[in-house]
Amino acid sequence: MKFSHILLKKLLGPKIPKAVKIADALNAHAFEVESVRDDVLDINLPPNRYSDAASHVGIAREIAAIFDLRLKKSEAKMVAKPPHRGLIKVEVREAKLCPRYSAAYLSISKIGTSPKWMQEILISCGMKPINAVVDIMNYTMLEAGEPLHAFDAAKLAKNKSQSASRTIIVRLAKKGEKIKTLDDQNITLDSSVLVIADKEHPLAIAGIKGGASSGVTEKTKEIIVEAANFDSASIFKSSRRLKITTDASTRFAHGISPELVGSGMDRAIGLLKDLLGADMLDFIDVYPKKQGKELIGFSVKKF
């Protein structure tokens, strides 16, 4: 997995060592660094570390511990959410496969392109800049470790009973159901694949790839931002079956914490507000069974 020294420097400050020195230290203390090219570290993460280390914040913590540095105060501040107004509804039909689904409804006057600094980080990590909204989703995943997706709200089917509201449904695909992905692949689904859908058709292959029918473009005025958590085994099997591997599917397939949904959503909304002047109109968070916290005792003396 690629990590940008530029973004690590944003998190750790100017005292951060050069990329080559960081690579040597990580090799000795934490992870195997496969290569360092143009200040980009390609780090081989073990499967059990994706939930805390498949992000620049996670790697920055490791670097801070090794070099006795302190992480800068996080820019991912908790965002005040509006009361639920019914503009967006979420129906999770497969709770075991989707422990948490969070959706924010925002209006944006003009999307345009993302800042140059953001584009540089995306490119260094192997991602192609598309537009400001998509770039913010990808940047947030790189920084915080939570994959996100944005839908063009106007392209979702309206509810017949309440014309102003739209419903997102997390369900298993119907046998033979089809979806055209954002990269123009025509995929035939089966009943084992989890999808994100509206009342009429699939919008995305859950945790793997978005659909072209609801993609965000320069003309988009309202978006629905998705931050969710999906069952790792389900995503792994679907990714293999469909032969589609993405940055999002790799993270979900290794198992990441549903608690990342909150921090990822807050960071994305904060960037949308700061960079695009987005206005959040509605918000919903379906999280019926919260992840428990467990304190593990550790004796330094015995160690």
Side-chain angles (χ1 to χ4, degrees):
M1 187 173 287
K2 294 180 179 179
F3 293 88
S4 164
H5 190 267
I6 296 173
L7 181 47
L8 292 170
K9 189 174 182 178
K10 282 172 63 72
L11 297 169
L12 289 167
K15 292 184 179 181
I16 183 175
K18 291 183 178 180
V20 174
K21 189 173 181 180
I22 289 174
D24 290 340
L26 288 175
N27 277 324
H29 293 277
F31 308 119
E32 179 185 350
V33 180
E34 295 183 351
S35 65
V36 180
R37 294 180 183 176
D38 299 324
D39 276 355
V40 176
L41 296 96
D42 193 349
I43 303 174
N44 185 16
L45 298 178
N48 66 321
R49 294 299 304 275
Y50 268 70
S51 196
D52 72 287
S55 67
H56 281 71
V57 170
I59 295 299
R61 289 196 193 102
E62 298 290 329
I63 297 170
I66 294 168
F67 291 99
D68 195 23
L69 300 175
R70 181 173 294 182
L71 265 74
K72 293 171 67 176
K73 191 173 182 181
S74 174
E75 296 180 70
K77 300 173 184 176
M78 186 174 290
V79 176
K81 311 297 192 306
H84 184 46
R85 297 169 54 193
L87 293 177
I88 178 69
K89 295 182 179 181
V90 174
E91 185 180 320
V92 179
R93 295 181 182 175
E94 301 292 335
K96 289 184 178 180
L97 301 182
C98 179
R100 186 176 187 183
Y101 193 99
S102 182
Y105 196 114
L106 302 100
S107 64
I108 300 173
S109 58
K110 184 180 179 180
I111 291 179
T113 58
S114 58
K116 186 178 179 181
W117 63 264
M118 182 177 286
Q119 292 189 34
E120 289 176 349
I121 291 170
L122 292 173
I123 292 170
S124 68
C125 292
M127 294 184 166
K128 181 182 177 181
I130 297 174
N131 61 51
V133 169
V134 176
D135 291 356
I136 287 171
M137 300 299 108
N138 287 331
Y139 174 83
T140 301
M141 177 184 67
L142 293 176
E143 184 183 285
E146 168 64 27
L148 297 103
H149 185 69
F151 303 99
D152 185 328
K155 296 176 181 177
L156 272 67
K158 289 184 178 181
N159 292 340
K160 294 179 181 179
S161 57
Q162 296 176 319
S163 60
S165 66
R166 289 168 170 82
T167 299
I168 282 181
I169 303 168
V170 184
R171 61 169 173 82
L172 290 171
K174 300 168 187 175
K175 186 177 180 180
E177 201 166 26
K178 299 180 185 297
I179 184 172
K180 185 176 183 179
T181 61
L182 286 167
D183 57 353
D184 292 328
Q185 292 186 67
N186 291 301
I187 307 294
T188 300
L189 307 169
D190 61 41
S191 56
S192 68
V193 178
L194 192 70
V195 297
I196 311 301
D198 61 12
K199 289 286 187 179
E200 296 178 358
H201 51 74
L203 305 170
I205 305 171
I208 298 176
K209 197 79 172 178
S213 66
S214 57
V216 174
T217 68
E218 299 294 328
K219 296 180 180 180
T220 299
K221 296 298 181 183
E222 295 181 334
I223 63 172
I224 296 170
V225 176
E226 165 196 287
N229 184 263
F230 301 109
D231 176 72
S232 59
S234 171
I235 299 301
F236 176 79
K237 291 176 182 177
S238 294
S239 179
R240 284 288 186 91
R241 183 177 291 107
L242 301 174
K243 297 180 181 179
I244 302 175
T245 302
T246 60
D247 291 276
S249 70
T250 299
R251 285 171 169 82
F252 284 127
H254 282 86
I256 58 176
S257 169
E259 289 298 309
L260 285 175
V261 168
S263 56
M265 178 64 88
D266 283 342
R267 182 60 169 140
I269 292 172
L271 286 168
L272 288 166
K273 286 175 173 285
D274 293 342
L275 300 179
L276 303 180
D279 183 25
M280 184 160 48
L281 307 176
D282 205 358
F283 179 81
I284 186 168
D285 186 15
V286 180
Y287 193 14
K289 189 176 180 181
K290 294 185 176 169
Q291 189 176 51
K293 295 180 180 180
E294 184 178 354
L295 297 177
I296 302 173
F298 180 80
S299 169
V300 175
K301 185 177 179 181
K302 287 183 179 179
F303 179 75

